[in-house]
Amino acid sequence: MFRKILIANRGEIALRIQRACREMGIPTVAVHSTADSDAMHVRLADESVCIGPPAARDSYLHFPAILSAAVVTGADAIHPGYGFLSENARFAEAVEAHGITFIGPSPDHMRMMGDKIAAKTAMAGLGVPLVPGSDGAVEDLDQARRVADQIGYPVLVKAASGGGGRGMKVAHTPGTLEEAWSIARTEARTAFGDDAVYLEKYLDRPRHIELQVLADSHGNVVHFGERDCSLQRRHQKLVEEAGSPALDAAARDALGAVVTAGLHKLGYRNAGTLEFLYQDGQFAFIEMNTRLQVEHPVTEMVCNVDLVREQIRIAAGETLGYGQSDIRFQGHAIECRVTAEDPETFMPAPGRVELYQPPGGLGVRVDSALYAGYVVPPFYDSMVAKLIVHAPTRDEAIARMDRSLLEFAIHGIKTTIPLHRRIIAAPDFRAGDYTIHWLERFVGEAALTKA
Ligand code: MV4
């Protein structure tokens, strides 16, 4: 096992990783920018190193600062968390070049999944279902026209290096393909420095369902079921649930069997999440994330597993020690991501937390690095807390989330707690009847009734 783990992140996820390490008896090193000297992840770490000024590119993204912090403190492993350097293959290589273990997949697998075309090609070869589309990259507009005619409109032009919805353009008719094509390519070039694009059939009302997997370095691969992440606004997820209200056990088992067999063949290692669009009873793979995800707690609650502990054990070369039949799905879990934003305009609202009173009781979990007196800095992601509830049934989980949101008091800054209360009360949400477009309509309607 590792002697000391450096956590290359901040906020609630740095704390989450620290908690797993402490329970495993592994000392931790926190790194922080000058804006985070008073942060909870620094206060609770065994050791901390200041790695630079507030701008992430000069601190949390700065290879030399993080690597030197690991070397001087004698850390023998680095956990990247999510965001920042978590999916950076060059960083993983640099870590390994220093004789330090990167807690994650191999750099080659990270690079493969970072290229959406390579990821789709690999998954197709492994029997994972895809959205109908181009076979690899589309080189020019003529080829785009031929592919679009073949798969049928509407089509989506997507950037190979894309993410967060950037470099993605829909063409509803042949007459609009040229414009979609050139906008997507330009956006891809400016945002990612790579203008490679591909084409897919545009699905107009899918759910976003993702599957959590773990693989050890001895060929054992298991899945921990799905999360429904359809409730998003501008590619920011607000609410996630495990399992999906749209799936039954048979559908989950079938998808899980295909995916775990595929990743076994691929030789994948550590945690991974496969993203699917789900429409009309069909799954279509779109992307794979090679990191721990923000919403991992809902999976932990229904499967009674510590995914961070498992990531660390796998990176240290241990075997999983259990198989798919040992993994049971118990009850239902829901997560609300609370951000420091105006709940109506979504304007960032950093500032001083005057009072912090998290909810409690049976089946309630709060992952947060907030405390009374803390000043939320303006430089980073606005998420300040994840409220996760677990209950035997979905209806009971909804009731538990409702009362937990009522108990949750964060004073001094604006938060999205009031919006979460409205979402949880919405009949469509209660019925599990929503797609990736539901939330944007819901918040749009609210703005209209106000005006
Ligand atoms: C799609 C799609 C519809 N059809 N692909 C958005 C970001 C990227 N991860 C994939 N995305 C989408 N790909 C096809 N063929 C709709 C989206 C999409 C979306 C997907 C998941 C969650 C939220 C979304 C919001 C808008 C569009």
Side-chain angles (χ1 to χ4, degrees):
M1 190 36 72
F2 303 116
R3 284 191 321 268
K4 193 186 277 187
I5 294 178
L6 181 141
I7 300 165
N9 217 300
R10 63 180 302 281
E12 68 85 21
I13 197 61
L15 211 49
R16 167 70 190 85
I17 297 160
Q18 215 174 79
R19 285 170 170 154
C21 291
R22 188 151 285 140
E23 291 181 11
M24 297 173 84
I26 306 169
T28 58
V29 180
V31 293
H32 65 91
S33 71
T34 51
D36 277 340
S37 301
D38 297 327
M40 203 61 180
H41 80 277
V42 177
R43 291 186 169 199
L44 286 177
D46 296 296
E47 284 175 79
S48 62
V49 180
C50 182
I51 51 167
R57 98 181 71 81
D58 302 318
S59 50
Y60 298 105
L61 293 172
H62 195 223
F63 291 21
I66 295 168
L67 291 169
S68 355
V71 170
V72 300
T73 56
D76 53 354
I78 296 182
H79 196 305
Y82 54 68
F84 294 130
L85 297 169
S86 60
E87 296 189 283
N88 189 314
R90 285 188 303 110
F91 179 68
E93 280 166 351
V95 170
E96 303 279 344
H98 284 71
I100 299 167
T101 301
F102 178 82
I103 301 174
S106 73
D108 288 345
H109 283 136
M110 292 169 69
R111 196 167 276 120
M112 172 189 282
M113 300 310 168
D115 177 343
K116 315 297 173 201
I117 295 175
K120 283 189 68 171
T121 305
M123 290 302 160
L126 298 166
V128 177
L130 307 183
V131 191
S134 58
D135 184 9
V138 178
E139 303 297 339
D140 52 46
L141 184 58
D142 274 354
Q143 192 191 349
R145 289 199 191 290
R146 284 196 300 275
V147 174
D149 287 340
Q150 202 196 328
I151 62 178
Y153 287 84
V155 298
L156 204 49
V157 187
K158 288 184 169 183
S161 306
R166 280 192 303 177
M168 196 174 86
K169 214 71 214 166
V170 62
H172 289 278
T173 58
T176 53
L177 183 63
E178 180 166 9
E179 196 188 354
W181 167 263
S182 61
I183 292 175
R185 263 186 103 87
T186 306
E187 233 174 81
R189 197 180 315 116
T190 51
F192 313 110
D194 170 17
D195 64 4
V197 296
Y198 59 105
L199 242 66
E200 276 181 3
K201 175 97 186 167
Y202 175 67
L203 303 179
D204 62 342
R205 45 185 173 79
R207 300 179 80 108
H208 177 197
I209 292 177
E210 57 187 33
L211 194 79
Q212 175 71 57
V213 298
L214 278 183
D216 67 19
S217 50
H218 309 278
N220 303 297
V221 187
V222 293
H223 74 86
F224 292 88
E226 81 285 3
R227 296 184 284 261
D228 197 316
C229 304
S230 303
L231 293 173
Q232 57 83 43
R233 176 189 168 270
R234 299 193 180 175
H235 304 289
Q236 298 296 315
K237 297 167 185 169
L238 272 81
V239 179
E240 303 99 348
E241 16 186 1
S244 169
L247 287 199
D248 58 20
R252 170 193 305 144
D253 292 348
L255 183 68
V258 172
V259 165
T260 50
L263 291 182
H264 175 83
K265 262 194 231 164
L266 199 63
Y268 190 80
R269 187 189 70 219
N270 216 284
T273 300
L274 289 92
E275 294 189 0
F276 296 88
L277 297 179
Y278 181 73
Q279 184 172 316
D280 303 323
Q282 303 264 70
F283 282 102
F285 170 85
I286 48 170
E287 293 171 23
M288 180 169 179
N289 302 317
T290 56
R291 59 169 193 276
L292 179 72
Q293 295 204 236
V294 175
E295 61 272 25
H296 76 277
V298 289
T299 300
E300 295 190 319
M301 302 317 283
V302 297
C303 295
N304 191 28
V305 63
D306 180 336
L307 289 170
V308 176
R309 180 190 184 96
E310 294 307 281
Q311 283 193 291
I312 295 168
R313 288 206 310 111
I314 289 166
E318 293 189 6
T319 55
L320 284 178
Y322 47 84
Q324 192 61 52
S325 61
D326 298 310
I327 296 165
R328 296 285 152 76
F329 306 97
Q330 271 196 18
H332 193 89
I334 304 175
E335 171 177 281
C336 287
R337 295 189 187 187
V338 178
T339 55
E341 291 176 316
D342 183 301
E344 295 192 9
T345 64
F346 296 97
M347 286 289 289
R352 187 171 192 273
V353 176
E354 302 296 343
L355 177 143
Y356 178 67
Q357 181 64 48
L362 183 64
V364 179
R365 166 175 173 181
V366 179
D367 281 19
S368 173
L370 282 192
Y371 59 86
Y374 178 64
V375 180
V376 178
F379 311 106
Y380 312 106
D381 188 272
S382 62
M383 192 177 74
V384 292
K386 303 188 302 202
L387 169 57
I388 305 108
V389 299
H390 183 222
T393 65
R394 185 169 185 269
D395 284 349
E396 290 165 285
I398 290 173
R400 187 158 283 168
M401 180 57 85
D402 190 41
R403 71 94 177 148
S404 297
L405 287 165
L406 192 68
E407 283 179 31
F408 208 163
I410 303 175
H411 294 179
I413 56 170
K414 286 182 186 170
T415 77
T416 46
I417 290 173
L419 172 61
H420 282 297
R421 295 195 61 206
R422 293 202 303 117
I423 295 169
I424 295 303
D428 285 343
F429 175 75
R430 291 185 170 242
D433 182 16
Y434 56 81
T435 70
I436 59 169
H437 303 297
W438 185 86
L439 185 63
E440 285 173 357
R441 266 174 223 152
F442 183 71
V443 298
E445 266 173 23
L448 285 179
T449 27
K450 281 223 153 256

